[in-house]
């Protein structure tokens, strides 16, 4: 075994108690990075997944600026049928209205879908908390969000009056209560497309058409083709739909980077300061190292290797702590009334990044004290 | 041939703006296999001389020859190499690595020098200094005299040309001091080890082959 490694190991072993503090600091900073970044990426990925699951196709077709609705829906659907890579599409109507139940009334958002088409694009109709989902051609049933149901104290099977924005009213039976984990849960009522079109006097129109492609990678290419072929419309990619959350998580990412940086800085300072003090206390030992013939860079290596030993132990402990912490918070998420449940996810790439960044910081922090040890004046080291 | 020869060796230190002349032109010749004592009042430059010969410090001017080769002006790495291979040091206090056991202290310079069989050789050196039964003791578990004997064993680790001892008994009682000097005598006689030893004690100095007297940075004739 090399003399440098041998001495670094012995010195670490004899200074266990002091090094435990450094190892704890390194472990906490590593775990901190894994959990905080797991949170940020977990929330982002959750949101994107939920959005794609309930509220967006790969491409979404909207009316152009002049119109509230897409006109000539039948013709546009026929055109969509001609594209090889369009595997499904679902027109939706979005409108305002109110829901009366017993003596209570609430303003609501109406979402109307054709269950057959919608099921080929999203899973919103599968998000049923209680009761059943909407049947094909069910003109009298509605799904209401769980929060509406809570506020109105409405139950599955009850009858309720829906007031449409144009003033039409109709009695519906609550077939089911849904929970999507999205903003839809606030005050949305889901009903059949034809039924809503009739009440809103909309024929051959839709608010939006969600489009599913054979491959999500084709969105960029198809965006242009579809907007050229269908005319008088606006096409958005799924990425644009989640842009707002992605840009707000970008801000959070900056905040979390700052938190990570503070954690790293704290562990760097503790590594640096403890090594520095340790070296000041060991001037005599360093003097002897030099007297017996150790070279400057070998002495420097002793202290860098010690830092790497502490770094390795601290990082392994931090990786485990970060993994367990993430798993614990996944099982016991924070709940937010609007965002739903918030929990970190475990990503292997974050673990690698956190380990590498922490090791680099530890080595950097040990460089100054190690250089100081290597360059120490031998006469002063021995005679002080 | 002279194993050590110095020519007009000078060393001064700056204490603030005051120049302290620790060595002021020292000419010394020491034969291979000689056991030499250096004596003189405190502050006359004895330790400074030893540090120069041992390549711990650099002279202000003058030359040092080891076996006829000029060793002044070597790089820091070369001097470390020279100390490792050719010099054994014994200081008055705290010579040992506290965190290493007796045998590990002796193994360490052998490992630095990439010697094979370092454990076996270190054990033999411990036997030689009469501490064969204390191999796994830490320095803190040994008496002052025992610590100095471990230090002597360590200084022999790489079979140095020259053994330099700076008041090796200065911190020991009379009995331990006698044992150390007898050990030096034995190393000198049995192995032909060249030894240069600084001491305050006339009695100890007289055990050497020759005494060199220092005064105010020069040799007293
Ligand atoms: N590092 C130093 N800086 C300044 N002066 C020193 C230093 N080392 C030794 N001296 C001075 O040099 C002189 C010789 O010191 P030293 O060789 O240690 O003497 P000795 O060992 O004979 O007692 C003394 O006056 C001492 O104060
Ligand atoms: Mg002295």
């Amino acid at each position: 075994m090399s003399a440098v490694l041998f001495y670094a190991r012995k010195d670490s072993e004899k200074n266990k108690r002091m090094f435990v503090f450094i190892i704890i600091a390194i472990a906490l900073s590593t775990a901190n990075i894994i959990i905080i970044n797991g949170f940020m990426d977990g929330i982002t990925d959750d949101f994107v997944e939920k959005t794609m699951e309930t509220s967006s196709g790969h491409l979404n077709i909207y009316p152009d600026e002049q119109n509230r609705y897409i006109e000539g829906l039948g013709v546009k659907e026929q055109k969509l049928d001609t594209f090889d890579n369009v595997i499904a599409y679902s027109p939706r109507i979005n409108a305002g209205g109110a829901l009366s139940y017993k003596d209570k009334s609430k303003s609501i958002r109406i979402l109307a879908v054709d269950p057959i088409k919608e099921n080929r694009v999203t899973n919103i109709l599968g998000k049923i908390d209680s009761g059943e989902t909407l049947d094909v051609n069910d003109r009298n049933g509605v799904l209401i969000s769980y929060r509406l149901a809570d506020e109105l104290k409405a139950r599955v099977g009850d009858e309720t009056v829906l007031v449409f924005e144009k003033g039409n009213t109709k009695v519906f039976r609550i077939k089911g209560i849904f929970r999507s984990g999205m903003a839809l849960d606030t005050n949305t009522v889901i009903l059949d497309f034809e039924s809503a079109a009739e009440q809103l006097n909309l024929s051959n129109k839709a608010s939006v058409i969600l489009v599913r492609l054979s491959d999500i990678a084709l969105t960029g290419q198809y965006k242009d083709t579809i907007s050229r072929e269908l005319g008088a419309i606006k096409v958005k990619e799924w990425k644009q739909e989640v842009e707002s959350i992605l840009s707000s998580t970008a801000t959070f990412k900056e905040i979390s980077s700052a938190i990570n940086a503070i954690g790293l800085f704290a562990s760097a300072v503790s590594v640096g300061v403890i090594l520095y003090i340790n070296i000041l206390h060991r001037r005599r030992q360093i003097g002897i190292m030099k007297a017996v013939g150790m070279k400057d860079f070998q002495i420097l290596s002793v202290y860098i290797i010690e830092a790497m030993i502490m770094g390795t132990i601290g990082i392994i402990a931090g990786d485990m702590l970060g993994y367990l912490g993430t798993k614990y918070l996944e099982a016991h998420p924070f709940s937010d009334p609007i965002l739903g449940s918030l929990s970190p996810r475990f990503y292997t790439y974050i673990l690698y990044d956190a380990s590498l960044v922490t090791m680099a910081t530890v080595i950097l922090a040990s460089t100054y004290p190690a250089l100081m040890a290597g360059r120490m004046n031998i006469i002063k080291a021995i005679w002080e | 041939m002279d194993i050590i020869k110095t020519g007009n060796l000078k060393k001064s230190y700056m204490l603030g703006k005051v120049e302290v002349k620790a060595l002021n032109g020292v000419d010394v010749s020491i034969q291979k296999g000689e056991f030499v004592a250096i004596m003189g009042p405190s502050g006359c430059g004895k330790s400074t001389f030893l540090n120069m010969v041992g390549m711990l410090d650099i002279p202000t001017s003058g030359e040092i020859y080891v076996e006829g080769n000029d060793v002044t002006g070597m790089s820091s790495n070369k001097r470390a190499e020279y100390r490792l291979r050719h010099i054994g040091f014994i200081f008055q206090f705290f010579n040992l690595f506290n965190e290493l056991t007796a045998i590990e202290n002796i193994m360490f310079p052998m490992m630095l020098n990439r010697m094979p069989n370092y454990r076996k050789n270190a054990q033999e050196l411990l036997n030689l200094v009469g501490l064969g039964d204390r191999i796994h003791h830490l320095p803190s578990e040994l008496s002052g005299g025992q610590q100095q004997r471990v230090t002597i064993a360590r200084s022999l680790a790489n079979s140095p040309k020259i053994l330099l001892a700076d008041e090796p008994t200065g911190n020991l009682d009379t009995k331990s001091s006698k044992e150390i000097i007898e050990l030096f005598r034995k190393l000198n006689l049995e192995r032909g080890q060249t030894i240069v030893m600084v001491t305050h004690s006339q009695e100890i100095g007289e055990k050497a082959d020759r005494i060199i007297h220092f005064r105010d940075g020069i040799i007293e004739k």
Side-chain angles (χ1 to χ4, degrees):
Chain A
M1 191 181 4
S2 119
V4 170
L5 267 177
F6 174 78
Y7 192 87
R9 208 193 74 206
K10 290 289 167 179
D11 197 41
S12 312
E13 281 171 10
K14 285 291 181 267
N15 289 288
K16 261 186 217 128
R17 235 176 295 164
M18 190 157 61
F19 290 173
V20 164
F21 288 108
I22 298 185
I23 286 168
I24 290 172
I26 294 170
L28 289 179
S29 133
T30 311
N32 177 54
I33 296 175
I34 293 170
I35 295 173
I36 298 266
N37 285 286
F39 250 116
M40 297 319 302
D41 289 14
I43 290 167
T44 311
D45 288 3
D46 264 1
F47 182 84
V48 172
E49 276 168 25
K50 276 188 198 159
T51 303
M52 299 306 287
E53 216 188 344
T54 63
S55 315
S56 176
H58 294 157
L59 289 172
N60 299 326
I61 302 171
Y62 290 94
D64 62 12
E65 272 80 20
Q66 279 81 49
N67 294 298
R68 179 162 173 204
Y69 294 103
I70 299 167
E71 308 279 341
L73 179 61
V75 176
K76 294 200 159 61
E77 289 190 332
Q78 279 171 15
K79 282 201 176 147
L80 285 175
D81 284 331
T82 66
F83 294 114
D84 283 345
N85 290 308
V86 171
I87 56 171
Y89 53 82
S90 174
R92 285 175 161 195
I93 294 171
N94 295 312
L99 191 68
S100 295
Y101 177 77
K102 294 187 179 159
D103 54 346
K104 288 183 214 151
S105 182
K106 293 231 32 150
S107 90
I108 54 146
R109 313 236 8 109
I110 290 167
L111 169 61
V113 298
D114 174 336
I116 293 179
K117 292 175 179 170
E118 186 68 24
N119 285 338
R120 289 190 194 131
V121 181
T122 78
N123 189 29
I124 181 68
L125 297 176
K127 300 284 177 186
I128 301 300
D129 227 17
S130 60
E132 292 166 29
T133 194
L134 217 53
D135 278 336
V136 178
N137 293 327
D138 185 344
R139 298 296 171 89
N140 301 311
V142 290
L143 305 176
I144 67 172
S145 75
Y146 80 99
R147 285 175 58 197
L148 264 179
D150 282 352
E151 282 163 25
L152 295 170
K153 309 232 180 313
R155 281 191 307 254
V156 173
D158 290 349
E159 293 205 322
T160 172
V161 179
L162 199 53
V163 183
F164 290 83
E165 61 180 38
K166 294 265 173 62
N168 287 10
T169 64
K170 188 181 170 194
V171 175
F172 285 91
R173 208 168 60 80
I174 299 173
K175 279 212 72 181
I177 293 170
F178 72 89
R179 182 194 289 262
S180 66
M182 301 288 293
L184 289 175
D185 290 346
T186 320
N187 62 348
T188 299
V189 172
I190 302 176
L191 65 154
D192 181 71
F193 190 89
E194 289 306 328
S195 184
E198 190 182 311
Q199 296 300 323
L200 289 161
N201 286 323
L202 301 173
S203 79
N204 213 15
K205 292 177 183 168
S207 306
V208 59
I209 307 171
L210 312 189
V211 178
R212 185 180 180 79
L213 302 174
S214 58
D215 184 349
I216 196 164
L218 294 172
T219 51
Q221 171 192 340
Y222 265 75
K223 181 186 172 184
D224 294 337
T225 318
I226 287 176
S227 62
R228 199 171 51 238
E229 296 280 321
L230 268 62
I233 49 153
K234 204 168 66 189
V235 183
K236 280 195 190 175
E237 292 180 57
W238 65 274
K239 273 184 223 154
Q240 292 167 279
E241 303 286 357
V242 296
E243 210 161 61
S244 62
I245 187 85
L246 290 182
S247 69
S248 64
T249 53
T251 314
F252 282 119
K253 277 214 158 134
E254 280 170 25
I255 297 171
S256 73
S257 304
I259 297 173
N260 293 335
I262 292 168
L264 277 175
F265 185 71
S267 71
V269 167
S270 67
V271 172
V273 167
I274 294 180
L275 269 182
Y276 181 85
I277 293 172
N278 182 38
I279 286 166
L280 282 187
H281 281 281
R282 311 180 139 258
R283 301 177 81 116
R284 179 87 203 174
Q285 304 274 355
I286 293 167
I288 308 266
M289 284 184 195
K290 293 200 163 191
V292 299
M294 218 170 176
K295 291 172 184 159
D296 294 4
F297 83 87
Q298 290 176 315
I299 295 172
L300 174 136
S301 309
V302 165
Y303 291 98
I304 302 253
I305 288 169
E306 280 188 21
M308 287 170 73
I309 294 172
M310 293 183 278
T312 306
I313 299 171
I315 286 167
I316 290 170
D319 285 347
M320 291 195 291
L321 203 65
Y323 177 79
L324 295 176
T326 308
K327 289 290 163 192
Y328 177 84
L329 289 170
E330 242 178 76
H332 304 85
F334 296 102
S335 67
D336 180 274
I338 293 161
L339 297 168
S341 73
L342 299 178
S343 65
R345 277 201 216 172
F346 181 76
Y347 296 89
T348 330
Y349 84 89
I350 295 181
L351 184 130
Y352 289 141
D353 286 359
S355 305
L356 279 177
V357 167
T358 311
M359 187 52 101
T361 309
V362 167
I363 291 174
L364 212 65
S366 66
T367 307
Y368 177 72
L371 273 173
M372 183 182 80
R375 288 183 183 163
M376 197 175 280
N377 181 295
I378 180 165
I379 298 295
K380 284 187 180 153
I382 290 176
W383 273 270
E384 263 174 36
Chain B
M1 191 209 265
D2 297 333
I3 192 160
I4 302 168
K5 182 172 163 49
T6 67
N8 201 17
L9 194 63
K10 293 187 179 178
K11 176 72 184 180
S12 31
Y13 296 104
M14 292 305 294
L15 264 183
K17 283 187 180 154
V18 186
E19 189 185 14
V20 180
K21 291 185 173 170
L23 293 180
N24 200 13
V26 173
D27 296 288
V28 161
S29 292
I30 294 167
Q31 301 291 301
K32 191 170 175 7
E34 234 188 329
F35 180 6
V36 175
I38 294 179
M39 298 193 67
S42 183
C44 68
K46 305 182 295 291
S47 295
T48 306
F49 175 76
L50 234 53
N51 295 343
M52 298 298 137
V53 174
M55 302 268 110
L56 289 183
D57 208 350
I58 303 164
T60 311
S61 67
E63 294 88 41
I64 303 169
Y65 299 92
V66 174
E67 294 182 327
N69 303 311
D70 189 351
V71 295
T72 42
M74 290 199 294
S75 72
S76 153
N77 273 349
K78 279 261 179 287
R79 286 188 291 132
E81 191 99 27
Y82 173 90
R83 293 193 293 270
L84 178 65
R85 299 240 172 97
H86 305 309
I87 303 288
F89 268 109
I90 300 140
F91 304 114
Q92 185 173 358
F93 315 102
F94 313 118
N95 284 287
L96 298 171
F97 297 112
N98 298 329
E99 57 281 345
L100 303 186
T101 61
I103 191 159
E104 287 168 346
N105 261 284
I106 301 166
M107 278 157 47
F108 185 67
M110 296 176 173
M111 292 168 82
L112 268 180
N113 200 21
R114 300 177 191 286
M115 293 237 308
N117 305 324
Y118 49 78
R119 192 171 289 276
K120 185 173 146 278
N121 293 337
Q123 172 74 62
E124 278 170 10
L125 285 174
L126 267 180
N127 294 343
L128 179 73
V129 300
L131 289 173
D133 56 344
R134 295 292 196 308
I135 47 176
H136 297 308
H137 284 58
L138 289 170
S140 57
E141 296 161 349
L142 298 171
S143 74
Q146 289 171 331
Q147 287 182 27
Q148 282 310 57
R149 281 193 271 159
V150 176
T151 307
I152 292 167
R154 188 187 61 196
S155 71
L156 298 170
N158 292 317
S159 315
K161 292 189 172 117
I162 307 158
L163 218 143
L164 301 171
D166 193 349
E167 303 194 38
T169 59
N171 207 29
L172 300 179
D173 58 53
T174 324
K175 182 168 168 286
S176 305
S177 300
K178 254 187 87 185
E179 284 168 8
I180 296 296
I181 294 311
E182 274 159 19
L183 185 55
F184 278 151
R185 194 73 262 182
K186 180 172 116 178
L187 292 172
N188 176 249
L189 288 176
E190 292 177 5
R191 300 177 147 221
Q193 180 68 54
T194 309
I195 301 173
V196 182
M197 174 183 71
V198 170
T199 182
H200 260 117
S201 149
Q202 187 65 33
E203 196 190 337
I204 286 176
E206 279 166 4
K207 298 273 164 63
D209 300 335
R210 171 159 71 106
I211 299 178
I212 300 174
H213 288 280
F214 271 55
R215 181 179 293 276
D216 297 334
I218 52 166
I219 292 176
E220 225 175 27
K221 299 290 172 189

